[in-house]
Amino acid sequence: MKYVYDLHKTMLARNLILIYEGEFTQEITKSVLAMAERNMDSMGEESSIKRKVFNVMVECLQNIVKHSDEYNPLTEKRHTAIFMIGKHDEEYIITSGNPIKNENVDGLRERLERINGLDKEGLKTLYKEIIKNTALSDKGGAGLGFVDMARKSGQKLEYDFEKMNDRYSFFSLKTTISRSTTGE
Amino acid sequence: MEILNLEGAEDTPKIMLDKANGIFEISGRSLPEDSAEFYQPVLDWLEAYGASPNPKTEFVFKLEYFNTASSKLILDILSKLEDIDGMTVTWYFHEDDEDMEEAGEEFSELVDIPFEFKTY
């Protein structure tokens, strides 16, 4: 039973206020959002910071909902992802991790590198270009989620790909939102 | 013309489209699971309205939050509004919500409709 205490200590050490591991659906997304909102409300968080955290959370969670079917539960053992929020004195850290197909790693890495290579104006231009010229995907995504997360956070997106097996890699994504309201 | 009246929910906005009373408003939060499906009735309603619109139409957006999939559909709605004569858009944002203000400015740059900005 020591793992319970170990997990508890890890959460405290990393200032994690919420972890969800499991299947991701729209209903789960709403529940996780409601919990995080209540948590921020009870701590008296500034509304502008709350909105940014909410914003990044939605894009992050809905990304997982839309892409989780890539991990087929009939052929693989598990079909889950992880989402967490860390709250520090200076910032909120929103992280997620989910399996993606190995063949999609390079394309995803390129998109994220392109976004991280842009400044505020560049991101705005890219956003407008995508919204004008791109139709919704068959999964209902606008292709704008990462761009929006980068814009709302005002900081670079951090990411990593860890190879799981010859078919899947684990994609981790970290977005930081500053708690100082003065600037970006 | 029939009124389109959708109650808001935690992930969908409140929508009121009422030609007779001149009320055209989308408000609240928009993060539906399937934004295209959710907004289709609005696009259909506007298509019909466009055939015989009121002389003047003030379309109000009073959104607290919308996700990126909704932003694509908001642009689709605005593109429909663009084709209707006498159209103006009033874009409300909370007074400390710069992101919502900026989002409205960006939409106003993407379509040829007069935008008015107001805080609440």
Side-chain angles (χ1 to χ4, degrees), chain B residues 28-120:
Chain B
R29 285 183 173 186
S30 181
L31 54 136
E33 182 163 25
D34 185 338
S35 62
E37 183 187 67
F38 177 77
Y39 282 104
Q40 193 56 48
V42 175
L43 293 168
D44 292 343
W45 193 94
L46 288 171
E47 183 72 33
Y49 177 74
S52 63
N54 294 344
K56 280 189 165 40
T57 309
E58 182 200 2
F59 202 100
V60 173
F61 289 93
K62 198 171 185 178
L63 291 162
E64 182 196 330
Y65 169 76
F66 60 86
N67 67 352
T68 53
S70 298
S71 71
K72 182 75 192 155
L73 269 297
I74 292 171
L75 184 60
D76 289 348
I77 290 169
L78 289 168
S79 301
K80 279 254 185 291
L81 301 183
E82 199 175 19
D83 296 333
I84 300 171
D85 289 336
M87 180 63 61
T88 58
V89 166
T90 306
W91 186 271
Y92 280 89
F93 58 95
H94 191 269
E95 55 185 0
D96 69 359
D97 192 351
E98 286 172 20
D99 290 328
M100 188 56 75
E101 182 181 10
E102 196 178 353
E105 283 167 2
E106 285 169 18
F107 281 125
S108 75
E109 290 160 17
L110 289 166
V111 289
D112 188 18
I113 309 171
F115 267 60
E116 191 179 349
F117 292 92
K118 288 184 180 171
T119 56
Y120 67 89

Side-chain angles (χ1 to χ4, degrees), chain A residues 78-138:
Chain A
R78 295 187 73 200
H79 172 223
T80 65
I82 190 163
F83 175 86
M84 47 196 151
I85 307 174
K87 186 194 176 196
H88 301 259
D89 291 342
E90 303 296 324
E91 61 207 10
Y92 282 95
I93 295 177
I94 296 162
T95 34
S96 63
N98 59 290
I100 64 164
K101 285 185 181 149
N102 285 334
E103 68 226 45
N104 293 332
V105 169
D106 287 345
L108 185 51
R109 193 196 304 273
E110 270 170 41
R111 280 176 62 201
L112 290 162
E113 273 172 10
R114 181 179 180 203
I115 289 165
N116 276 347
L118 296 170
D119 62 5
K120 198 178 167 188
E121 279 307 306
L123 286 170
K124 179 177 171 155
T125 307
L126 178 61
Y127 186 93
K128 285 169 82 171
E129 183 189 304
I130 296 174
I131 198 174
K132 253 196 311 196
N133 302 319
T134 315
L136 287 182
S137 71
D138 52 2

